[in-house]
Amino acid sequence: MSRFWSPVVHSLSPYVPGEQPKQDGIVKLNTNENPYPPSPRVLAAIASATDRLRLYPDPRASRLREAIAARYQVAPDEVFVGNGSDEVLAHTFQALLQHDAPLLFPDITYSFYPVYCGLYRVRYQEVPLDAAMRVQIADYRRPCSAILLPNPNAPTGIALPRDAIEALLAEHPDQLVVIDEAYVDFGAESAVSLVARHDNLLVVQTFSKSRALAGLRVGFAIGQRPLIEALERVKDSFNSYPLDCLAIAGAVAAIEDDAWFRETRQHIIASRESLVAALSELGFEVLPSLANFVFARHRSRSGAELAAGLRQREVLVRHFQKPRIADYLRITVGTEEQCGRLIAAVRNMI
Ligand SMILES: Cc1ncc(COP(=O)(O)O)c(C=O)c1O
């Protein structure tokens, strides 16, 4: 604390990201990264972009917006790009979610949302997931200015079908609905195809998970033009160049290498299914995940005990000491080998 702090800084409760260990040999299943490398075409594109480091990057990242637009069959001016989807979400909070009525999001969800509410002074209400940890769209029938849902939800991994999102949009024509699709590529249905019909929908996605580029920091939003314009206005009042020229080149190559994307995603989905089976056999209840992680609790061991025991065995998973979920572990789906080491470590403990 210091007398130089702006008043708002005193009241912030910053987000705590998952640990990035320094030592080698750790099985790192705690931050939902992709266990496979990005496409070799990404690495080649980044290498050739180094020629342009002397220059400022394109502030509009037009090549990337065009590549994303072509991939998702929208217009380039319906795409906004930012430095990771966290930044896209932050701009969304500032540009579109500061209203008198509260923003609604689930009680168990991505823990950055309340942090942004603190930073941008957004009023919010948490809507409890049902007893099976599912989002029930009927529970969102209450006064609000906007609704924010990750789909699949994090950390549960449970997804809503596109029909349910469309019903939510239809029930709330005068409220913005933001769908955070950070994990959608691992088996859930994207809401992007609903953007043309719904002016109240903003879909946010990331290159960090299914495209294995968490370190490059690229995220994007797709929505009708007036929503994108609001994000651009905030971005151009904050940082004209959120994506550097290496990130733009790498992300374009990642979007263009669809074969790599499909193949690595398929491996992860297959590993998820074997991981669920192995955990269930060891006495875990595993929520039905369509993400690149599973959320599971053991019938007789506490979450804290399991997380600590795994750490001793050099396996990192994520544990949240929070009401309703303190007994769960969030386990990123790794390679077959990493999942095997996790299962061996659990077997050794129970
Ligand atoms: C639900 C959700 N949304 C957004 C993000 C942010 O991802 P990034 O900033 O890497 O794009 C994450 C990261 O874990 C997440 O879990």
Side-chain angles (χ1 to χ4, degrees):
M1 211 200 277
S2 149
R3 67 187 189 286
F4 302 117
W5 284 15
S6 302
V8 66
V9 176
H10 293 273
S11 64
L12 297 179
S13 324
Y15 177 73
V16 183
E19 182 183 347
Q20 295 293 344
K22 301 280 179 294
Q23 85 215 69
D24 293 333
I26 302 271
V27 179
K28 191 174 175 308
L29 303 176
N30 64 332
T31 48
N32 298 342
E33 288 138 335
N34 195 311
Y36 300 105
S39 153
R41 283 166 63 176
V42 169
L43 308 184
I46 290 175
S48 50
T50 53
D51 287 353
R52 297 194 295 277
L53 279 174
R54 189 177 60 77
L55 304 171
Y56 281 105
D58 170 10
R60 308 243 76 81
S62 302
R63 274 179 64 216
L64 178 57
R65 287 170 49 230
E66 281 159 19
I68 294 170
R71 168 73 171 70
Y72 291 96
Q73 297 179 319
V74 296
D77 66 3
E78 292 175 322
V79 179
F80 176 81
V81 293
N83 192 264
S85 60
D86 279 339
E87 187 185 81
V88 175
L89 287 165
H91 288 341
T92 302
F93 274 77
Q94 194 167 28
L96 297 162
L97 300 177
Q98 283 177 325
H99 300 288
D100 291 337
L103 164 70
L104 305 181
F105 51 77
D107 62 338
I108 293 164
T109 195
Y110 185 34
S111 48
F112 224 135
Y113 301 157
V115 175
Y116 289 134
C117 288
L119 179 60
Y120 294 117
R121 307 290 162 126
V122 172
R123 288 187 53 216
Y124 69 97
Q125 259 175 34
E126 294 178 334
V127 180
L129 297 181
D130 72 8
M133 296 283 188
R134 292 176 183 277
V135 169
Q136 292 295 344
I137 63 159
D139 296 339
Y140 289 76
R141 288 177 198 140
R142 51 172 101 176
C144 64
S145 60
I147 295 168
L148 169 55
L149 293 178
N151 195 39
N153 193 12
T156 64
I158 299 177
L160 284 172
R162 191 188 295 116
D163 288 353
I165 303 288
E166 184 144 39
L168 186 73
L169 290 161
E171 280 184 25
H172 298 272
D174 296 321
Q175 278 86 31
L176 182 68
V177 174
V178 180
I179 306 295
D180 176 353
E181 294 189 346
Y183 302 102
V184 76
D185 291 328
F186 301 103
E189 294 176 336
S190 173
V192 168
S193 61
L194 305 178
V195 161
R197 291 204 295 280
H198 295 276
D199 66 356
N200 58 334
L201 171 62
L202 187 76
V203 179
V204 179
Q205 289 200 11
T206 179
F207 282 64
S208 297
K209 315 293 179 181
S210 56
R211 294 179 202 275
L213 287 173
L216 202 64
R217 311 306 300 132
V218 183
F220 61 96
I222 295 180
Q224 289 191 13
R225 185 64 204 142
L227 301 182
I228 300 302
E229 195 186 333
L231 294 173
E232 285 169 354
R233 288 173 71 104
V234 166
K235 172 240 166 204
D236 288 327
S237 308
F238 176 77
N239 177 6
S240 312
Y241 309 106
L243 291 189
D244 60 56
C245 62
L246 307 184
I248 294 171
V252 169
I255 278 281
E256 288 175 352
D257 195 348
D258 211 45
W260 184 272
F261 164 77
R262 284 174 193 280
E263 194 186 322
T264 47
R265 164 175 79 171
Q266 222 29 62
H267 282 307
I268 292 168
I269 293 172
S271 299
R272 180 181 69 210
E273 301 318 311
S274 336
L275 178 63
V276 170
L279 287 170
S280 309
E281 218 170 85
L282 288 170
F284 282 87
E285 176 204 344
V286 189
L287 299 187
S289 170
L290 286 181
N292 69 336
F293 57 85
V294 298
F295 205 45
R297 65 176 166 188
H298 194 263
R299 59 169 175 249
S300 59
R301 301 299 178 97
S302 79
E305 180 191 352
L306 286 167
L310 285 168
R311 166 174 265 289
Q312 276 170 8
R313 290 163 180 79
E314 304 202 323
V315 179
L316 288 189
V317 298
R318 194 90 194 253
H319 173 248
F320 301 94
Q321 195 59 55
K322 285 188 177 165
R324 291 189 80 184
I325 56 169
D327 270 337
Y328 284 85
L329 299 179
R330 194 197 66 191
I331 306 169
T332 304
V333 179
T335 58
E336 288 288 331
E337 198 244 322
Q338 289 174 317
C339 294
R341 279 187 57 192
L342 166 94
I343 292 298
V346 172
R347 209 171 263 133
N348 184 258
M349 285 167 60
I350 57 178

